[in-house]
Amino acid sequence: MKKKMVIDVITIFPKMVEEIVKKSILKRAQQKNIVQINIHDLRDFALDKHSIVDDYSYGGGAGMVLKPEPIFRAVERIIGKKKRKRKRRIILLSPQGQTFNQAKAKELSREEHLLFICGHYEGVDERVKENLITDEVSIGDYVLTGGELPAMVVIDSVVRILPGVLNKKESFENDSFYQGLLDYPHYTRPRRFRRKSVPVLLLSGNHARIRKWRRQKALKNTLDKRPDLLEKIILSAEDRKILDELKGKKGKKGIAPICFPECK
Ligand code: SAH
């Protein structure tokens, strides 16, 4: 069995992070002892009595920079002296990093220990990047105020795919990106709402046909919204046939809805 994953977060706003990890799936994963999440206040590792963790940028210009010493001290305290004891990643959240995606979430979910460093203001002293981290991760090409929200994004997506976290009903295999496609559409009760009905096939109990319908819809969603994803995955002959049909229909008058006899 996989060892419990340990996640440490170093931040100057521990309360922001604490609130999020106390809720929903992250809470449950901790209760089930699948993951342990520790939050560390960077100010506790400051060297002076005023707990100063930031300073001006050498060379001038507006904006403060997180000092290196408290970050090094925090990381060293967390990982102990023997640096290579566990399979570990030390991740700096940064808009300059590798863009995060589901593949990276899967990769990180195989580790035993993830340590996140949240920057703030102008960011962190470059010596942290040069000497301390194993990964620099961005959640997209835009700039946020701090690394707390990005850390939460990464942690949430990693923890939900750890074995045993989601129960069968909530399984993630069909989620968007997990197998390269977008998800198929979902419907729930009531069957009829404001004169709009759920596709009848979904009520038929015919699991083989439902599986096929869902695959078609996942392919259609992906073709409509993210055709770039189709370039990156290996498709079966049947998938390719469905796509060719969809593309044919698209050519004529937008994408026509796929319809089984049951839907009519
Ligand atoms: N001056 C920096 C931005 C600093 S933003 C630059 O232009 O590169 C302050 C902090 O917010 C960063 O240190 C980082 O931890 C976090 N942050 C901002 N945008 C982010 C993003 N897209 N992904 C991950 N972290 C981000």
Side-chain angles (χ1 to χ4, degrees):
M1 218 184 102
K2 193 178 181 294
K3 263 196 194 160
K4 173 163 80 173
M5 177 182 268
V6 176
I7 296 179
D8 287 281
V9 184
I10 301 173
T11 166
I12 56 170
F13 289 108
K15 290 220 158 62
M16 260 178 95
V17 179
E18 274 160 24
E19 277 311 306
I20 296 178
V21 306
K22 276 196 305 212
K23 300 279 184 319
S24 184
I25 303 285
L26 289 179
K27 174 183 171 189
R28 196 201 302 166
Q30 292 172 88
Q31 284 172 340
K32 285 183 167 178
N33 224 15
I34 296 169
V35 65
Q36 176 186 325
I37 304 179
N38 309 312
I39 299 153
H40 309 270
D41 188 343
L42 184 62
R43 291 181 209 283
D44 293 342
F45 300 89
L47 294 165
D48 68 306
K49 64 176 192 301
H50 302 292
S51 304
I52 291 173
V53 290
D54 57 334
D55 210 331
Y56 294 99
S57 183
Y58 273 127
M64 304 299 275
V65 178
L66 293 184
K67 290 158 70 61
E69 315 95 300
I71 298 180
F72 272 72
R73 291 181 78 207
V75 170
E76 281 159 8
R77 173 85 59 82
I78 293 164
I79 69 180
K81 292 274 177 266
K82 282 190 207 137
K83 293 197 175 168
R84 294 267 153 246
K85 260 193 320 205
R86 301 179 65 128
K87 277 176 72 192
R88 167 186 299 122
R89 303 286 272 271
I90 303 178
I91 301 159
L92 175 70
L93 286 316
S94 154
Q96 299 174 26
Q98 178 194 7
T99 309
F100 189 66
N101 58 19
Q102 192 65 35
K104 187 80 179 173
K106 263 193 221 176
E107 179 193 318
L108 295 180
S109 73
R110 295 188 201 109
E111 301 291 340
E112 289 172 8
H113 185 194
L114 304 177
L115 198 167
F116 291 89
I117 302 171
C118 305
H120 227 90
Y121 314 119
E122 274 310 312
V124 303
D125 186 287
E126 194 67 13
R127 285 165 289 186
V128 169
K129 289 190 196 172
E130 289 164 353
N131 300 291
L132 201 55
I133 62 169
T134 58
D135 299 72
E136 190 176 359
V137 172
S138 164
I139 59 160
D141 290 348
Y142 42 83
V143 174
L144 298 157
T145 314
E148 287 72 18
L149 293 173
M152 290 299 96
V153 167
V154 174
I155 292 170
D156 188 287
S157 63
V158 168
V159 170
R160 70 194 298 282
I161 58 173
L162 292 177
V165 170
L166 295 188
N167 55 42
K168 211 172 147 222
K169 278 194 201 150
E170 306 161 326
S171 92
F172 51 80
E173 275 89 10
N174 289 315
D175 275 348
S176 297
F177 310 112
Y178 198 80
Q179 293 179 28
L181 295 180
L182 299 183
D183 198 2
Y184 50 77
H186 295 269
Y187 296 88
T188 187
R189 278 183 277 203
R191 263 185 198 208
R192 210 169 150 71
F193 167 68
R194 297 196 179 173
R195 299 204 186 156
K196 296 172 207 331
S197 296
V198 169
V200 186
L201 175 78
L202 296 177
L203 314 171
S204 69
N206 185 336
H207 296 295
R209 299 210 72 162
I210 291 172
R211 210 174 306 117
K212 199 167 167 199
W213 181 89
R214 287 180 163 168
R215 186 74 187 171
Q216 288 193 326
K217 291 292 185 186
L219 285 162
K220 182 179 183 315
N221 260 346
T222 313
L223 181 66
D224 284 353
K225 299 176 193 171
R226 290 293 305 276
D228 57 300
L229 296 176
L230 295 170
E231 313 285 315
K232 297 179 202 146
I233 58 165
I234 300 166
L235 295 164
S236 67
E238 199 183 337
D239 286 343
R240 279 200 301 274
K241 202 174 137 217
I242 295 169
L243 278 172
D244 285 345
E245 274 173 36
L246 287 168
K247 282 179 193 159
K249 285 176 186 159
K250 193 178 183 185
K252 280 181 204 148
K253 44 174 181 161
I255 288 196
I258 305 169
C259 225
F260 287 97
E262 291 91 326
C263 306
K264 285 179 182 154

